[in-house]
Amino acid sequence: MKLPVYLDYHATAPVDPEVLQAMMPYFTEVFGNAASRNHEYGWTAEAAVEKARQQISKLIGATEKEVIFTSGATESNNLAIKGVAEMYQEKGNHIITSTIEHKAILDTCHALEKKGFEITYLPVDRYGQVSAEAVRNAITPKTILVSIMAANNEIGTINPIGSIGKVCKEKGVIFHTDAVQLVGKGHVDVEEMGIDLLSMTAHKMCGPKGVAALYVRRRNPRVRLAAMMHGGGHERGMRSGTLNVPGIVGFGKAAELAGRRMVEESGRIQRLRDFLWEKIQADLDEVYLNGHPNERLPGNLNVSFAYVEGESLMMGMKELAVSSGSACTSASLEPSYVLKNIGVGEDLAHTSIRFGLGRFTTQEEIEFAASKVISTVKKLRDLSPLYEMAKEGIDLKSVNWTGH
Ligand SMILES: *Cc1c(COP(=O)(O)O)cnc(C)c1O
């Protein structure tokens, strides 16, 4: 077992050996520019790109022509939102999103606000879900885009994307979803779910970093986007720039593997996740699950451990590569805005840990992680007067701390 145990699959995943193998020839022998139309080198590169387009489109129920390659889901999200905003600004200036989207969505929306667009940030319920009804009620004649994530990267909650897509179809509003975390892990079908634009990225599904895609619907309706990157007219004019052929080949392979293994793999990962959660609950009290109990990513477990100090918890478990519910801003430790928006108090948010399991996570690693977390929390609680008082039945809110 390699230490630290990697449990941060929402941040990134290692490249699958089969993916790497598929990519290798495209760095050296098959190095052509996919846009070179005059010779064999270009044709071979183009054929490899088209094969990847097919592998990727198949995973989400799209057609090849609807897949636009980008440098990352951050770019895909920017292109989707700014591309629609600019193209449809005569029709309206209103965009609907949610409060717990990835920063690539929220910061893009904030930038548009400065340019005169109106953004509605829909609140989420205590599990982190946006309801289709809330989307329906927020749509106005000025609404040009709804952007709601498929699954949240911190708490793993999956949204009712199909129902939201249906509302958008009824109202004739373009529907974008940041599906980075769900694609390859759970069922996604752009036709069935009424999705018009979808962001996905290779490195969250055991593909390489720096390559991603935006699905852009071509019929019923045909979605038009203003380009952000000009020059050369690649990718149907929506995203110019020489294609990252080895990356795209790897992305295609990763999509194929994810599709082929999804049912078996998600089942296995979910069983490991459930085992971890059961073990934690069996040995510790005052632990709280963040996110939805069932409608969540198979590899996600987000837990608050009351009465421990978040920093000390992280420091005490250096053998685990996990993520905490606090974000270091310049000077202070801010609680995660996602946890805040589902109603987790600041104290509990600081004690939250996100475990992200994935393809290469083993039973041995999960057993190690469980005992590490449990022993660390127990140790910290033994040192905590607050925990002791709570155990003695003292209501901490009633304590007069200053003694006056
Ligand atoms: C990782 C992530 C992104 C950003 O993807 P990059 O390819 O790293 O730019 C966007 N949205 C979600 C939900 C993510 O988890």
Side-chain angles (χ1 to χ4, degrees), residues 10-11 72-75 77 102 104 149 151 153 178 180-181 201 203-204 212:
H10 302 298
T74 298
E75 185 188 339
N77 285 342
H102 190 270
M149 72 199 318
N153 46 297
D178 175 345
V180 164
Q181 295 289 345
T201 191
H203 76 102
K204 306 267 171 99

Short mmCIF file of all heavy atoms in Angstrom, two decimals, residues 10-11 72-75 77 102 104 149 151 153 178 180-181 201 203-204 212, ligand 1:
data_model
loop_
_atom_site.label_atom_id
_atom_site.label_comp_id
_atom_site.label_asym_id
_atom_site.label_seq_id
_atom_site.Cartn_x
_atom_site.Cartn_y
_atom_site.Cartn_z
N HIS A 10 -12.07 13.55 -6.39
CA HIS A 10 -12.86 14.66 -6.93
C HIS A 10 -11.94 15.76 -7.45
O HIS A 10 -12.36 16.58 -8.27
CB HIS A 10 -13.79 15.25 -5.87
CG HIS A 10 -14.74 14.24 -5.30
ND1 HIS A 10 -15.66 13.58 -6.07
CD2 HIS A 10 -14.88 13.78 -4.05
CE1 HIS A 10 -16.35 12.75 -5.29
NE2 HIS A 10 -15.89 12.85 -4.07
N ALA A 11 -10.72 15.78 -6.96
CA ALA A 11 -9.75 16.79 -7.41
C ALA A 11 -9.10 16.36 -8.72
O ALA A 11 -8.98 17.14 -9.65
CB ALA A 11 -8.70 17.03 -6.34
N GLY A 72 -9.96 22.23 -20.66
CA GLY A 72 -10.36 21.87 -19.30
C GLY A 72 -11.83 22.20 -19.12
O GLY A 72 -12.40 22.97 -19.91
N ALA A 73 -12.44 21.65 -18.09
CA ALA A 73 -13.85 21.96 -17.86
C ALA A 73 -14.02 23.42 -17.44
O ALA A 73 -15.09 24.00 -17.62
CB ALA A 73 -14.43 21.03 -16.80
N THR A 74 -12.98 24.01 -16.90
CA THR A 74 -13.03 25.45 -16.60
C THR A 74 -13.29 26.21 -17.89
O THR A 74 -14.17 27.08 -17.96
CB THR A 74 -11.70 25.90 -15.96
OG1 THR A 74 -11.54 25.19 -14.73
CG2 THR A 74 -11.68 27.39 -15.69
N GLU A 75 -12.56 25.85 -18.94
CA GLU A 75 -12.79 26.50 -20.24
C GLU A 75 -14.16 26.13 -20.80
O GLU A 75 -14.87 27.00 -21.33
CB GLU A 75 -11.69 26.12 -21.24
CG GLU A 75 -11.86 26.88 -22.55
CD GLU A 75 -10.92 26.44 -23.67
OE1 GLU A 75 -9.88 25.83 -23.41
OE2 GLU A 75 -11.28 26.72 -24.83
N ASN A 77 -16.88 25.45 -19.21
CA ASN A 77 -17.90 26.23 -18.49
C ASN A 77 -17.89 27.69 -18.93
O ASN A 77 -18.95 28.30 -19.14
CB ASN A 77 -17.65 26.15 -16.97
CG ASN A 77 -18.07 24.81 -16.39
OD1 ASN A 77 -18.83 24.05 -17.00
ND2 ASN A 77 -17.58 24.49 -15.21
N HIS A 102 -19.45 24.99 -9.07
CA HIS A 102 -17.98 25.11 -9.08
C HIS A 102 -17.61 26.57 -9.35
O HIS A 102 -18.36 27.29 -10.02
CB HIS A 102 -17.43 24.21 -10.19
CG HIS A 102 -15.94 24.03 -10.17
ND1 HIS A 102 -15.11 24.88 -10.86
CD2 HIS A 102 -15.16 23.11 -9.57
CE1 HIS A 102 -13.85 24.47 -10.68
NE2 HIS A 102 -13.86 23.40 -9.90
N ALA A 104 -15.68 27.79 -11.42
CA ALA A 104 -15.62 28.10 -12.86
C ALA A 104 -16.96 28.60 -13.38
O ALA A 104 -17.03 29.31 -14.39
CB ALA A 104 -15.16 26.88 -13.65
N MET A 149 -25.33 22.26 -11.99
CA MET A 149 -24.39 21.15 -12.03
C MET A 149 -25.09 19.80 -11.87
O MET A 149 -26.10 19.69 -11.18
CB MET A 149 -23.28 21.32 -10.98
CG MET A 149 -23.69 21.13 -9.55
SD MET A 149 -22.53 21.85 -8.33
CE MET A 149 -20.92 21.46 -8.97
N ALA A 151 -23.57 16.93 -10.57
CA ALA A 151 -23.21 16.40 -9.25
C ALA A 151 -22.18 17.33 -8.63
O ALA A 151 -21.28 17.80 -9.32
CB ALA A 151 -22.64 14.99 -9.35
N ASN A 153 -19.04 18.64 -6.48
CA ASN A 153 -17.69 18.13 -6.27
C ASN A 153 -17.28 18.05 -4.80
O ASN A 153 -16.31 17.39 -4.46
CB ASN A 153 -16.67 18.99 -7.04
CG ASN A 153 -16.91 20.47 -6.85
OD1 ASN A 153 -17.96 20.98 -7.25
ND2 ASN A 153 -15.98 21.15 -6.24
N ASP A 178 -22.80 21.38 -15.70
CA ASP A 178 -21.42 21.02 -15.41
C ASP A 178 -21.50 19.60 -14.88
O ASP A 178 -21.86 19.37 -13.73
CB ASP A 178 -20.86 21.99 -14.36
CG ASP A 178 -19.45 21.61 -13.91
OD1 ASP A 178 -19.02 20.47 -14.17
OD2 ASP A 178 -18.79 22.46 -13.28
N VAL A 180 -18.99 17.34 -14.83
CA VAL A 180 -17.62 16.83 -14.63
C VAL A 180 -17.60 15.64 -13.68
O VAL A 180 -16.95 14.64 -13.95
CB VAL A 180 -16.71 17.96 -14.09
CG1 VAL A 180 -15.43 17.40 -13.51
CG2 VAL A 180 -16.40 18.95 -15.19
N GLN A 181 -18.30 15.75 -12.56
CA GLN A 181 -18.21 14.70 -11.54
C GLN A 181 -19.09 13.50 -11.84
O GLN A 181 -18.83 12.41 -11.34
CB GLN A 181 -18.57 15.28 -10.16
CG GLN A 181 -17.59 16.33 -9.65
CD GLN A 181 -16.24 15.76 -9.24
OE1 GLN A 181 -16.08 14.54 -9.06
NE2 GLN A 181 -15.24 16.61 -9.10
N THR A 201 -14.59 16.61 -18.25
CA THR A 201 -13.14 16.72 -18.34
C THR A 201 -12.47 15.36 -18.15
O THR A 201 -12.97 14.51 -17.40
CB THR A 201 -12.61 17.75 -17.32
OG1 THR A 201 -11.23 18.03 -17.60
CG2 THR A 201 -12.69 17.27 -15.88
N HIS A 203 -9.47 14.42 -16.83
CA HIS A 203 -8.67 14.03 -15.66
C HIS A 203 -9.47 13.61 -14.44
O HIS A 203 -8.91 13.12 -13.46
CB HIS A 203 -7.64 15.12 -15.30
CG HIS A 203 -8.19 16.32 -14.61
ND1 HIS A 203 -8.06 16.52 -13.26
CD2 HIS A 203 -8.84 17.41 -15.08
CE1 HIS A 203 -8.61 17.69 -12.93
NE2 HIS A 203 -9.09 18.24 -14.01
N LYS A 204 -10.80 13.77 -14.48
CA LYS A 204 -11.61 13.29 -13.37
C LYS A 204 -12.11 11.87 -13.64
O LYS A 204 -12.81 11.29 -12.83
CB LYS A 204 -12.79 14.24 -13.12
CG LYS A 204 -12.40 15.71 -12.91
CD LYS A 204 -12.23 16.08 -11.45
CE LYS A 204 -11.64 17.47 -11.30
NZ LYS A 204 -12.65 18.50 -11.00
N ALA A 212 -10.46 18.48 -22.27
CA ALA A 212 -11.85 18.39 -21.83
C ALA A 212 -12.76 18.60 -23.03
O ALA A 212 -12.28 18.72 -24.17
CB ALA A 212 -12.12 19.44 -20.76
C1 LIG B 1 -12.74 19.75 -11.54
C2 LIG B 1 -14.01 20.45 -11.84
C3 LIG B 1 -14.06 21.48 -12.79
C4 LIG B 1 -12.81 22.02 -13.49
O1 LIG B 1 -12.30 21.12 -14.41
P1 LIG B 1 -10.84 21.36 -15.02
O2 LIG B 1 -10.79 20.41 -16.18
O3 LIG B 1 -9.89 20.99 -13.93
O4 LIG B 1 -10.74 22.77 -15.44
C5 LIG B 1 -15.28 22.05 -13.07
N1 LIG B 1 -16.40 21.63 -12.45
C6 LIG B 1 -16.39 20.65 -11.52
C7 LIG B 1 -17.67 20.25 -10.87
C8 LIG B 1 -15.19 20.04 -11.18
O5 LIG B 1 -15.20 19.10 -10.25
#
